[in-house]
Amino acid sequence: MRSSRRSPPKEAATRTYVARRLAIAALTLLGMSVIIFVLLRLAPGNMVDILFSTGGYVSESDKQSIMKELGIDRPVWIQYVDWLREILTGNLGKSYRYDLPAWEIIKPLLPVTIELAILSTIIAVLLGVPTGVISAVRQDTTLDYALRVFSLAGLSMPSFWLGMVIILVLVGWLGWIPPMTYVSPTENLKIHLVQFLLPALAVGYRSSALITRITRSALLEVMREDYIRTAWAKGQSGWIVIWRHALKNAMLPVITVIGIEFAFLIGGLVVTETVFNLPGVARFLVEAVLWRDYPVVQNLVMFIAIVVILSNLFVDMLYGWLDPRVRYGD
Amino acid sequence: MATEPVGVTVAEVELVAPGMALRRPGLVTIVWRFCRKKPLGAAGGLLMLLIVVAAIFAGVLATHDPIATNATSTLARPSSQFWLGTDHLGRDIYSRILHGARVSLIIGLGSTLLGSVLGGIIGLLSGYLGGKTDLISQRVMDIFQGLPLLVLALVMAAALGPSVPNVIIAISIPIIPRAARVIRSSVLTIREMQYVEAARGLGVSHLRIAFRHILPNTMGPFIVLCTAQLGSAILVEAALSFLGLGVPEPYPSWGRMLSVSAAEYAQKAPHLVLFPGFAISLAVFGSNLLGDALRDTLDPRLRGA
C-alpha cells in the first residue's frame, strides 16, 4: 500500500481512472441522448401543429412541405443519427421558432447563467460554511438548533418564491423597485450587480442549506479524531484548532457537495431566471420547452448533462488532489 | 397450571430468552419517545398532519368555492369575509390554499411512492443479484441522475402533457435513481448477513430471500428516503405549476397560484404571493424536519452522530 502510493504507479492509476471515468461519462451521455430524444418525440403535438394552430388553417400540402423543410418527416432513427452527428461536429442544429442556428441563440445567454451560477455558489459557500462550523462547535445548543432551522428553512422555500418576496420587500419597505429589464455590465455595472445579487441570494440561500449540513456533520466527525484531541491537549486555542486543524479535513466532503450541488443549482436557476426576468440559458430552456422547440431543448438538456457530468468528474479529481490519501483505481 | 408439561415451558423460555425478553414497545410508546428525543422532528410531523387534515377536510374547512370567480371582489385584502384575501379573479385564497393542499399532497405522495417503489425494486434486485444486472442498472440510473431533478421533470411534464397522473409520473422519474441507490447500498450490507446465508442454505429461492428476508430490513432507509423526497416532490410540483406545466386549471395548485399572473398583481396585493408560498414552504419544511429526525432515528449508520 505504502510503496504503491509513490508517484509513478499512482499517476498511472489516475490516468486509467480518468480514462475509465471519461468512457463511462461518454456512455452515460449517449444513453441520455437516446432518452431525451425519445421523450421529446412522445410529446403530443409537434412544432408544425403549434405553428398551424396559431396561424389558422393551412393546406395539407403546405404542412407537408414545412415538415420536410424542418426535417421532421423522416424516420425517427435517421433524425436521431443526424442529431448525434450534428452534436459531434459542434453544430447544434437550428431553432424552429427563431429560424436561427441554436448555438447563436444560446451563446449570448451563457454568460448570464454562468455569472448567476458563480455568484450563487459564492453566496452559498459564504453562508453555508460558517453556519455549519458554528452549528458544529455549538452542537446541541439553542444556537445550533436555530441555525439548523434557518438552513432547513432555506431548503424548504421555493427559490422563485423567495425571489418574489425579496422583490416585494424591497418595493414595500424601501420603496425601491429593482430594474426588471436586463442591464449589461458595460451599460451600468452597479445596477447589473444588484440585478444579479438578488436572484443569487435567493438561489444561494437554498443551496447553502446542504453545505451547512455537510460542514456540520463533517466537522463533528473530524473533531472526534485523535489529532484534534492532541491539539487541544497542547493547549492551542479553540478557534485555531477548529480553523487550522479540523476544518482543513472537514472541507473535503464539502467540496464534493459543492460539485454535486451544481446540478441542484441549475434546477434552481430554471425558475429564478424566469422570476427575475434574466435572459439566461435556464429561462430560455423553459421557453423552448413550452414552445416545443425540439432542437433547442435537446441541445440545451444535453449541454446541461455534459456540464453536470464533467463537473462531477472534476470534483472527484479535485478530491484526490486535495487529499493524498485518496487513491484511484479499484 | 401444575398439569402443564414442563418441557413446553422450557421451550418457551428458550424461544423468548435472549433478544425478545423485552416486549416490543407499542405505537404510542414509540411516538412518545420520538417526540421527546426529537422535538423538531415531532414538530415537522405535526405540521404534516395538519396539512393532511387540511387536505382531507378541505371541503368542510373552506369558506368559499375555490374555483368560483367573483368580479365584485377582486384583489380583496384579507378580511373577515375573505380570510386570506382574494386573487385577481375574486377567488378566495384561503379556500384555494386548502384545496391546493390536496393537489400538492396527492402529487407529492403519489410521485414519491411511485418513484421510491420502482427505484426500491430496482435497487433491491440490482444489489441482491449483483454482477451484470447490477452494472447495467447502475449505469442506467447514472443516466437519469445526470440531469437536475427539475430539468428532467420539466422535459417529462412537457412531453406527457399537463394532467395529474402525468405530473406524478414526470416527478417520479427523477426519484427512481435516488431510491435505487439508497436501497441498493443497504441491500449490499444485508445480503452478506448470516441469516441470509442460512436462508440460502435452507434452499429458499432467491426471489423469496430478496422480498421476504431482505426487503423488510430496508424499510428504515426506505421511510427516510420517502420523507426526504416528499419535500422535493412538492417543490418540483410547485415549480412545474408555476411554469404552467403542472396541474391544469381549474384545480387550485399552490405553484400556479404564484404564477406570472399573480406576480403581476404582487405590488398591489402582496397576499397573493405571500400565502401560497407560505403554504408550500410549510409543507416542505414539515417533511424536511420529519425526514431529518427519522433519518437520525432509523438509519443505524447515523445513530449517535
Side-chain angles (χ1 to χ4, degrees):
Chain A
M1 176 107 178
R2 187 123 202 111
S3 65
S4 66
R5 263 212 260 137
R6 299 243 166 83
S7 50
K10 176 164 179 168
E11 259 172 34
T14 309
R15 253 200 308 272
T16 15
Y17 175 77
V18 175
R20 230 185 66 205
R21 283 289 305 264
L22 279 175
I24 291 175
L27 265 179
T28 310
L29 287 173
L30 192 69
M32 184 135 2
S33 71
V34 176
I35 290 169
I36 295 167
F37 191 84
V38 171
L39 269 183
L40 288 173
R41 292 306 178 287
L42 287 179
N46 63 31
M47 188 63 195
V48 180
D49 290 331
I50 290 175
L51 284 178
F52 279 73
S53 66
T54 49
Y57 178 77
V58 183
S59 72
E60 194 60 28
S61 63
D62 280 355
K63 197 169 159 177
Q64 291 305 326
S65 71
I66 289 179
M67 280 178 74
K68 195 167 181 142
E69 202 189 309
L70 295 172
I72 48 183
D73 60 329
R74 297 167 303 162
V76 171
W77 67 273
I78 291 184
Q79 290 182 45
Y80 174 72
V81 172
D82 254 19
W83 176 48
L84 271 196
R85 211 179 45 220
E86 278 175 355
I87 293 179
L88 289 177
T89 53
N91 170 9
L92 289 185
K94 206 168 101 175
S95 158
Y96 291 158
R97 187 179 163 208
Y98 291 93
D99 205 17
L100 277 172
W103 177 240
E104 259 174 50
I105 309 168
I106 299 170
K107 206 169 77 179
L109 307 176
L110 279 176
V112 173
T113 301
I114 292 171
E115 191 182 339
L116 203 53
I118 291 174
L119 265 178
S120 310
T121 309
I122 292 174
I123 288 176
V125 172
L126 286 183
L127 205 64
V129 173
T131 328
V133 170
I134 296 169
S135 205
V137 172
R138 300 265 175 270
Q139 191 192 3
D140 288 333
T141 61
T142 320
L143 186 63
D144 176 29
Y145 271 90
L147 287 177
R148 279 160 74 189
V149 167
F150 169 78
S151 84
L152 211 56
L155 205 59
S156 309
M157 286 188 264
S159 54
F160 63 91
W161 180 65
L162 194 60
M164 288 168 134
V165 173
I166 290 177
I167 296 177
L168 268 183
V169 168
L170 285 177
V171 176
W173 288 354
L174 305 175
W176 178 71
I177 302 171
M180 286 314 282
T181 45
Y182 174 70
V183 179
S184 78
T186 46
E187 243 174 277
N188 188 334
L189 189 64
K190 215 172 118 193
I191 294 182
H192 173 85
L193 280 180
V194 171
Q195 209 167 30
F196 273 71
L197 221 53
L198 295 179
L201 212 61
V203 179
Y205 174 34
R206 190 169 150 62
S207 301
S208 77
L210 217 57
I211 297 181
T212 302
R213 235 178 235 216
I214 302 293
T215 308
R216 181 176 180 275
S217 65
L219 198 60
L220 281 177
E221 204 166 295
V222 170
M223 298 238 289
R224 274 192 221 120
E225 303 256 346
D226 286 342
Y227 77 93
I228 297 293
R229 204 174 27 198
T230 310
W232 290 118
K234 282 197 307 186
Q236 243 162 13
S237 82
W239 286 105
I240 288 190
V241 174
I242 289 156
W243 286 111
R244 293 258 314 264
H245 297 264
L247 202 57
K248 230 183 206 170
N249 279 324
M251 272 342 265
L252 286 163
V254 177
I255 286 166
T256 323
V257 166
I258 295 171
I260 293 168
E261 277 223 339
F262 203 73
F264 190 68
L265 196 84
I266 291 174
L269 292 184
V270 166
V271 259
T272 313
E273 283 186 355
T274 309
V275 168
F276 284 88
N277 203 20
L278 290 175
V281 183
R283 190 187 71 166
F284 188 67
L285 172 68
V286 175
E287 280 172 18
V289 166
L290 293 174
W291 274 88
R292 303 200 195 298
D293 199 345
Y294 294 152
V296 171
V297 176
Q298 271 172 9
N299 294 324
L300 270 183
V301 174
M302 267 320 269
F303 180 74
I304 291 172
I306 292 171
V307 170
V308 169
I309 286 168
L310 285 185
S311 72
N312 283 350
L313 184 64
F314 174 73
V315 167
D316 281 355
M317 297 282 97
L318 197 67
Y319 205 98
W321 183 66
L322 288 171
D323 185 350
R325 288 172 304 183
V326 174
R327 290 182 71 245
Y328 300 112
D330 294 314
Chain B
M1 285 291 144
T3 52
E4 211 170 82
V6 182
V8 174
T9 330
V10 171
E12 269 175 9
V13 168
E14 271 174 1
L15 265 177
V16 174
M20 293 165 76
L22 290 168
R23 260 186 54 233
R24 276 187 81 180
L27 189 66
V28 179
T29 325
I30 291 175
V31 171
W32 173 240
R33 264 190 215 154
F34 180 76
C35 293
R36 283 243 317 262
K37 279 184 89 173
K38 300 274 167 199
L40 283 181
L46 194 69
L47 209 53
M48 289 314 286
L49 199 68
L50 261 169
I51 291 166
V52 171
V53 169
I56 294 173
F57 297 105
V60 186
L61 294 169
T63 51
H64 293 75
D65 180 349
I67 357 183
T69 56
N70 184 347
T72 54
S73 55
T74 56
L75 299 177
R77 298 251 151 189
S79 63
S80 56
Q81 196 196 350
F82 305 107
W83 293 355
L84 300 180
T86 61
D87 66 4
H88 58 291
L89 296 174
R91 295 175 296 194
D92 182 48
I93 295 198
Y94 167 71
S95 308
R96 283 178 73 72
I97 285 181
L98 283 180
H99 282 271
R102 279 188 184 172
V103 175
S104 279
L105 276 186
I106 288 173
I107 292 183
L109 286 173
S111 54
T112 304
L113 278 180
L114 185 65
S116 305
V117 168
L118 288 179
I121 293 173
I122 294 174
L124 176 69
L125 294 178
S126 140
Y128 182 73
L129 297 173
K132 276 208 178 94
T133 323
D134 188 32
L135 193 74
I136 292 169
S137 67
Q138 284 305 301
R139 288 287 85 80
V140 174
M141 294 295 109
D142 274 354
I143 293 174
F144 281 100
Q145 272 208 308
L147 277 179
L149 210 153
L150 185 58
V151 172
L152 188 52
L154 187 76
V155 176
M156 286 287 302
L160 294 171
S163 79
V164 174
N166 284 350
V167 174
I168 289 178
I169 294 172
I171 300 175
S172 72
I173 301 286
I175 295 176
I176 292 176
R178 288 163 179 82
R181 199 147 286 190
V182 170
I183 299 301
R184 175 180 174 268
S185 74
S186 68
V187 168
L188 285 180
T189 340
I190 298 169
R191 192 180 64 171
E192 304 303 325
M193 289 192 176
Q194 252 173 2
Y195 80 92
V196 174
E197 205 180 313
R200 208 168 289 148
L202 285 170
V204 180
S205 76
H206 283 304
L207 215 62
R208 195 174 160 81
I209 290 179
F211 283 90
R212 274 304 294 273
H213 296 265
I214 294 183
L215 191 66
N217 277 328
T218 60
M219 273 304 128
F222 185 79
I223 292 170
V224 172
L225 174 93
C226 285
T227 351
Q229 290 300 330
L230 179 62
S232 53
I234 293 175
L235 275 180
V236 172
E237 188 274 325
L240 287 181
S241 298
F242 171 76
L243 295 170
L245 287 164
V247 184
E249 295 274 8
Y251 297 105
S253 137
W254 292 342
R256 216 193 25 249
M257 288 171 81
L258 291 172
S259 70
V260 189
S261 58
E264 273 173 33
Y265 301 100
Q267 316 292 356
K268 242 181 13 198
H271 61 266
L272 225 67
V273 168
L274 289 179
F275 296 124
F278 269 132
I280 300 171
S281 308
L282 278 182
V284 180
F285 190 59
S287 72
N288 280 345
L289 278 179
L290 185 64
D292 264 19
L294 283 179
R295 192 190 52 208
D296 290 353
T297 321
L298 292 175
D299 200 334
R301 275 165 303 174
L302 291 160
R303 204 166 277 168

